Amino acid sequence: MQLADQTLLRTEAFIGGRWCPAADNGETEVVNAASRDPIGRVPNMGPADAERAINAAATAFPQWKRIVAYERSVILRRWCDLVRESADDLAQMITAEGGKPLPESRAEVAYAAGFLEWFAEEARRAYGDVIPPHQADKRLLVVRQPIGVAAAITPWNFPAAMIARKAAAALAAGCTMLVKPAPQTPLTALALAALAERAGLPAGVLNVVTTDASTSPEIGKLICESSLVRALSFTGSTTVGKLLAAQAAATVKKVSLELGGNAPFIVFADADLEAAVEGAIAAKFRNAGQTCICANRFYVQQPLADAFARLLAERVSGLKVGAGDTDGVAIGPLIDERGLAKVERHVADAQACGGTILLGGHRHALGGTFFEPTVIAGATSGMQIAHEETFGPLAAVFPFTDEPEVIALANATEYGLASYFYSRDLSRAFRMAEALDYGMVGINTGMLSTPTAPFGGVKASGIGREGGREGMSEYQELKYICLGIDE
Ligand code: SIN
């Protein structure tokens, strides 16, 4: 990787304000998601390293929580500015490690910086309450206090934004943090830590522990079971989220989980078809379909389903597949062979259940982990894709007839993260937004993420909210103070 600032390319982890190898000097290789060529090496840290990072965060906490919110805000703002100045380098790293096209990686850096900016501002607004007393000689107050050491376990699909979303909120609240990035994307995490250090973050306030795929579960467990860690924030699959929540239960820590989805994308017959197709592409094919809020089931009202599916296939056929750093590429590789096999399985199952492949359906001729952008018409509720998140570039179109039917279909899943619908009917817009059992609803848009709004799901899609006014509360405790006074 040729970066303008080569010092962002780190080969050591960041603990207690120092760049360090693993205690046993173990390392792991980081590969380019498109070519699978090695692009760097980082420490493969073990339990002793993770303990060291937790202790460093615990040691830094008393000092960091005492710093006035204004000063924490200034440091976060400086970190945000440095991230924006390094946007090209960070985007290059995100594309290399995770495979997304460069324009998407640049958008992710802007999104990450947006969280740093938002929480730099929110740091100064950790307001409490004054409650009318229940007795004349009492005065009642509620204050917000930082919860303590927080841990973030972050995914590979947004290697910068998910760290920024968690760390900015935690640090703004006055917590210190330990980040365990996904084994596939440690370089972006370390570059962010290098910029945080440059921004003047005191030693131990942010720590990054890198692992390989085999040590990752052990370190996750250690973090969950540590009584020093008072809050855990995880973004990833529902399966892993449930496991981490169970592991964290013994120490009764605050847990915030942003897990899997199975987003419905509903198009009513009164919708603007062109706009719906455009929104569908944004909601489905961003990051090659590898986001938790990617549309997974396209419900289209009859008699529009065929026209929608054909137009979608026509537009998607224009999306160029290739390495993310190639000009004009819109669809990069999938993260690994397992991800590719899942898309293949969903296509085969849809075909076996009577679906019609309008576009794609196969591994891409480029080889590696590339898959052809795929559109399937005539999808039905019995198909695997109706129940499982594909996490790949496959759009399946399910016809439906009326509003009650589609509400029932959309809600017939254990998941409840994002949902989308297109309609020009204002009354329906309210009815639908209220009826969908999801944490987020996009109406006439396929893109709803922003640092300023609460992001999160219901049911098996998670607990808690990130971003928005609510994001900082995941890292705060409310303390009620009852003061007896002389009348
Ligand atoms: C995710 O896929 O987990 C995050 C997507 C987003 O924040 O837009």
Side-chain angles (χ1 to χ4, degrees):
M1 247 184 298
Q2 270 316 309
L3 305 179
D5 178 358
Q6 281 300 127
T7 65
L8 291 181
L9 199 55
R10 297 289 171 152
T11 54
E12 291 178 309
F14 190 57
I15 297 178
R18 296 187 44 225
W19 293 93
C20 48
D24 67 357
N25 284 319
E27 286 189 342
T28 178
E29 193 167 75
V30 186
V31 298
N32 180 297
S35 66
R36 315 311 288 182
D37 291 335
I39 51 172
R41 297 185 74 77
V42 296
N44 179 20
M45 298 199 127
D49 302 295
E51 295 280 11
R52 210 150 43 90
I54 294 170
N55 288 331
T59 305
F61 176 60
Q63 193 62 30
W64 180 246
K65 80 168 176 188
R66 262 200 301 275
I67 291 179
V68 293
Y70 173 73
E71 284 174 34
R72 290 201 297 267
S73 166
V74 167
I75 295 174
L76 283 171
R77 179 68 221 205
R78 218 180 287 140
W79 189 12
C80 164
D81 292 342
L82 291 170
V83 165
R84 286 189 175 138
E85 282 165 26
S86 301
D88 284 344
D89 283 346
L90 290 169
Q92 232 192 100
M93 282 187 186
I94 294 171
T95 292
E97 291 187 301
K100 67 176 65 162
L102 261 179
E104 281 192 40
S105 297
R106 287 196 193 98
E108 182 183 339
V109 177
Y111 188 36
F115 285 109
L116 298 177
E117 182 171 55
W118 173 255
F119 284 113
E121 292 161 357
E122 285 297 286
R124 298 200 275 165
R125 296 188 195 112
Y127 301 128
D129 274 321
V130 179
I131 299 173
H134 58 300
Q135 290 164 351
D137 63 346
K138 296 271 169 62
R139 294 296 178 268
L140 315 182
L141 312 170
V142 179
V143 294
R144 287 175 183 270
Q145 294 192 309
I147 196 162
V149 174
I153 301 185
T154 56
W156 47 264
N157 62 344
F158 286 87
M162 296 304 102
I163 291 176
R165 179 147 89 185
K166 296 175 194 307
L171 271 45
C175 294
T176 53
M177 184 167 248
L178 151 83
V179 177
K180 192 197 82 55
Q184 296 91 334
T185 54
L187 297 178
T188 306
L190 295 174
L192 285 176
L195 294 170
E197 182 188 27
R198 232 178 258 178
L201 205 63
V205 172
L206 182 74
N207 306 275
V208 180
V209 173
T210 53
T211 65
D212 74 7
S214 66
T215 49
S216 181
E218 183 188 357
I219 301 305
K221 183 167 184 284
L222 184 149
I223 291 170
C224 288
E225 291 177 350
S226 166
S227 52
L228 284 179
V229 174
R230 300 309 315 143
L232 168 75
S233 179
F234 169 71
T235 296
S237 73
T238 295
T239 309
V240 174
K242 285 179 181 172
L243 181 70
L244 296 177
Q247 291 170 349
T251 48
V252 196
K253 52 176 64 63
K254 202 161 183 176
V255 173
S256 142
L257 304 169
E258 197 261 276
L259 308 176
N262 181 7
F265 186 106
I266 302 163
V267 182
F268 286 97
D270 66 15
D272 175 338
L273 185 63
E274 284 282 341
V277 167
E278 199 183 303
I281 292 173
K284 175 74 250 184
F285 293 96
R286 184 163 74 120
N287 201 12
Q290 301 172 108
T291 86
C292 302
I293 57 170
C294 269
N296 204 51
R297 298 168 287 157
F298 290 86
Y299 292 112
V300 184
Q301 190 168 24
Q302 292 293 36
L304 211 62
D306 276 358
F308 176 88
R310 268 186 276 107
L311 189 59
L312 182 63
E314 183 194 313
R315 295 289 156 80
V316 172
S317 69
L319 301 178
K320 185 171 162 185
V321 180
D325 56 2
T326 310
D327 269 356
V329 160
I331 308 277
L334 296 185
I335 194 69
D336 57 22
E337 176 60 35
R338 203 157 63 108
L340 194 69
K342 186 171 191 188
V343 186
E344 243 178 348
R345 172 163 65 76
H346 278 189
V347 172
D349 172 72
Q351 242 181 328
C353 295
T356 307
I357 298 185
L358 299 185
L359 182 76
H362 306 100
R363 289 176 183 239
H364 197 276
L366 285 171
T369 53
F370 291 96
F371 199 87
E372 294 172 345
T374 299
V375 177
I376 296 182
T380 57
S381 297
M383 293 178 179
Q384 287 175 4
I385 190 170
H387 308 285
E388 284 177 29
E389 182 180 34
T390 305
F391 234 61
L394 161 58
V397 179
F398 301 70
F400 75 92
T401 47
D402 58 29
E403 199 179 301
E405 181 199 4
V406 81
I407 291 171
L409 288 168
N411 289 341
T413 170
E414 64 171 317
Y415 298 102
L417 190 59
S419 56
Y420 308 85
F421 68 88
Y422 274 70
S423 171
R424 287 169 163 137
D425 179 332
L426 195 54
S427 302
R428 167 176 283 153
F430 275 94
R431 282 196 305 272
M432 288 297 295
E434 288 163 12
L436 289 167
D437 289 338
Y438 289 82
M440 296 174 282
V441 184
I443 307 174
N444 295 331
T445 178
M447 297 280 277
L448 43 66
S449 306
T450 164
T452 57
F455 188 106
V458 300
K459 295 157 67 180
S461 288
I463 306 170
R465 293 294 179 269
E466 298 192 283
R469 264 194 297 145
E470 296 75 7
M472 223 163 55
S473 353
E474 303 294 332
Y475 303 96
Q476 292 168 325
E477 290 287 16
L478 290 183
K479 184 176 281 175
Y480 158 52
I481 301 169
C482 179
L483 174 69
I485 60 159
D486 295 333
E487 281 197 279

